[in-house]
Amino acid sequence: MNKQRLIPLIVATALFMENMDSTVIATSLPAIAADIGTSPLTLKLAITSYLLSLAVFIPASGWTADRFGARMVFSIAIGVFMLGSIGCALSTSVTHFVIARILQGLGGAMMTPVGRLVLLRSIDKSALVNAMAWVTVPALIGPVIGPPLGGFITTYFSWHWIFLINIPIGLLGVYMAMKYIDPIRSEDPERFDLKGLLLAGIGLAGIAFGLSVAGLNLLPWTIVAGLVAIGSISMTLYVVHARKTRSPVLDFAMLRLPTLRAAIIGGFLFRLGIGALPFLLPLLMQVGFGLSPFQSGLVTFSSAVGAMGMKTLAARIIRTFGFRNMMTINAVVSSVLLGACALFTVTTPLLLIFLILVVGGFFRSLQFTAINTVAYAEVEPAQMSRATTLVSVNQQLAVSAGVAVGAFSVETNLALHHATELTAGVFGPAFIVVAIISAVSSYFFWQMPDDAGHEISGRQAVEISSRKGAASAAVKAATEDSQDARDQRLG
């Protein structure tokens, strides 16, 4: 297997492990709680502590990779994640379990952005779209198969195995990384911004933790609001600090790059809406339609089928239509298919639900691949670590915000109807709300230049003499290989 596919699969191994683990636990919480002598509600701290650990340590990932080498940090991060997994399996109390989840979060905080950095530094830009597609598919499959896999393992084996299955996957990932990834490191690592890390860590932790528990009735709303407020204040102080330092842990100055700005802002809105789907859909299937967790997981698995179908077509679609046109239209199409979930009722044929989720999974995966790729179109090699850190933090906040918005929408609909129990009818408005938020992202994708990411997509470069149309557009063919050679490299 060539480098353009082998390295993305190595990175995808870690992303699959992290994404699956972060969702598989939700199905198994009652069994774990009963075994270690606590309540499922209390054990939700295990989920929030993991998110908290991610938010705190992600900002340090870029500098760490530059200082010690991306391959080494990536391999060690997988090892730390495995240690956390073993700790979870051996836990006999809530305290032990939460500590183990925090350790997992530390490993996960380094795995995702550093894995992406390994990819960016190892793969030629002309093959980046296809490489991102290979990475995206396993990362999307993880959260989808997590719930049914967790239910299956917990029902027929033991909940301990949902963590122990990470060990062989992780060992394979470390072996492959050390053997096939080049030991690339920055020749002149920047000075570590400790003050910035503390401010950004407190800010991200407050916002991410507050949003992740909002609507879940874990904490009083005053405490949730206080956490978000403290996080927001700390992030404001960080922004002031970042303007005065030469090497900030989160470099917001990079948002001057049009493609990165669109990927951050538009990507946040798109992910916020789509991020609510794994939260809302299983609840609708189980609480609203009365399906078992395993049955619900089998239905939602259809999204992964669509995602896998996208893999072989993403590069060609983006090359044909260009990043800006494709992402603008596809954001709306994906949002419409997300909003279609509001039409699901108890009498809706499961085959129709399956088909809508398959098609939706295809377009969502295509959009994720494009967002993850175009973000780095204008980033210089020396700034890659900063860019990957910024993108990873943005993704984490978007997912937390998506769950919060979805939960808040359901709670609001319950209050408006003076209802106390969840029914299938209360989920419809929530799907509409998150679909509208996702659709708004199309505006920011449309703001990108006409030739955004052409170097990556292989599309012919278009030189626009005036954005206002004062002069006509002149089209020039970019120097490139034959179409057959490019298809072979990308496909």
Side-chain angles (χ1 to χ4, degrees), residues 5 30 33 51 124 138 143 167 186 198 219 225 231 233 274 289 313 315 343 377 403 410 418 464 477 484:
R5 291 189 177 179
L51 295 173
D124 185 78
I167 308 308
S186 175
L198 293 175
L219 296 171
I233 292 171
I274 303 302
F289 297 170
L313 299 175
L343 303 177
V403 174
V410 172
H418 305 289
I464 305 299
D484 290 342

Side-chain angles (χ1 to χ4, degrees), residues 22 25-26 29 43-52 97 101:
S22 61
I25 186 177
L29 276 181
L43 204 59
K44 283 185 179 290
L45 288 172
I47 297 177
T48 52
S49 62
Y50 179 80
L51 295 173
L52 186 66
F97 197 75
R101 289 290 286 173

Side-chain angles (χ1 to χ4, degrees), residues 66-326:
D66 283 346
R67 176 66 179 82
F68 300 103
R71 182 183 71 173
M72 182 60 66
V73 173
F74 180 66
S75 301
I76 292 175
I78 296 177
V80 171
F81 192 86
M82 287 193 297
L83 288 176
S85 299
I86 295 173
C88 289
L90 299 179
S91 295
T92 56
S93 68
V94 176
T95 302
H96 295 160
F97 197 75
V98 168
I99 292 174
R101 289 290 286 173
I102 291 175
L103 187 60
Q104 274 191 316
L106 172 57
M110 295 292 169
M111 278 198 309
T112 302
V114 176
R116 190 174 287 113
L117 182 61
V118 166
L119 192 69
L120 291 168
R121 289 181 173 174
S122 304
I123 303 296
D124 185 78
K125 274 192 173 184
S126 62
L128 195 55
V129 173
N130 202 57
M132 283 295 184
W134 280 86
V135 168
T136 302
V137 172
L140 286 171
I141 292 175
V144 177
I145 71 170
L149 180 63
F152 178 80
I153 291 175
T154 303
T155 302
Y156 298 104
F157 296 95
S158 168
W159 65 265
H160 303 82
W161 287 102
I162 67 176
F163 298 104
L164 293 178
I165 58 175
N166 289 332
I167 308 308
I169 298 175
L171 289 174
L172 177 63
V174 171
Y175 169 76
M176 298 290 283
M178 296 302 294
K179 184 173 182 178
Y180 295 107
I181 295 177
D182 297 330
I184 305 172
R185 72 170 64 189
S186 175
E187 296 180 358
D188 185 23
E190 297 174 330
R191 180 174 172 270
F192 186 58
D193 182 20
L194 179 59
K195 181 180 179 181
L197 178 64
L198 293 175
L199 288 174
I202 294 173
L204 293 171
I207 295 172
F209 185 79
L211 291 177
S212 65
V213 298
L216 298 180
N217 296 321
L218 284 178
L219 296 171
W221 70 267
T222 51
I223 296 180
V224 173
L227 287 169
V228 175
I230 292 172
S232 301
I233 292 171
S234 185
M235 281 305 297
T236 302
L237 293 174
Y238 170 76
V239 171
V240 174
H241 163 77
R243 292 175 178 174
K244 302 176 182 178
T245 182
R246 296 179 58 185
S247 54
V249 290
L250 294 176
D251 190 0
F252 293 116
M254 296 191 69
L255 294 179
R256 288 193 293 261
L257 301 175
T259 50
L260 181 60
R261 181 170 64 249
I264 292 291
I265 302 176
F268 180 88
L269 293 172
F270 185 79
R271 281 193 176 89
L272 188 152
I274 303 302
L277 185 63
F279 170 76
L280 293 174
L281 195 58
L283 281 178
L284 174 63
M285 293 292 148
Q286 295 177 41
V287 179
F289 297 170
L291 301 180
S292 69
F294 185 57
Q295 292 172 323
S296 168
L298 291 177
V299 172
T300 56
F301 179 74
S302 54
S303 295
V305 176
M308 288 184 286
M310 176 280 308
K311 178 185 68 63
T312 58
L313 299 175
R316 293 176 176 83
I317 292 174
I318 294 173
R319 184 174 61 243
T320 301
F321 298 101
F323 277 104
R324 190 184 76 158
N325 296 333
M326 189 283 293

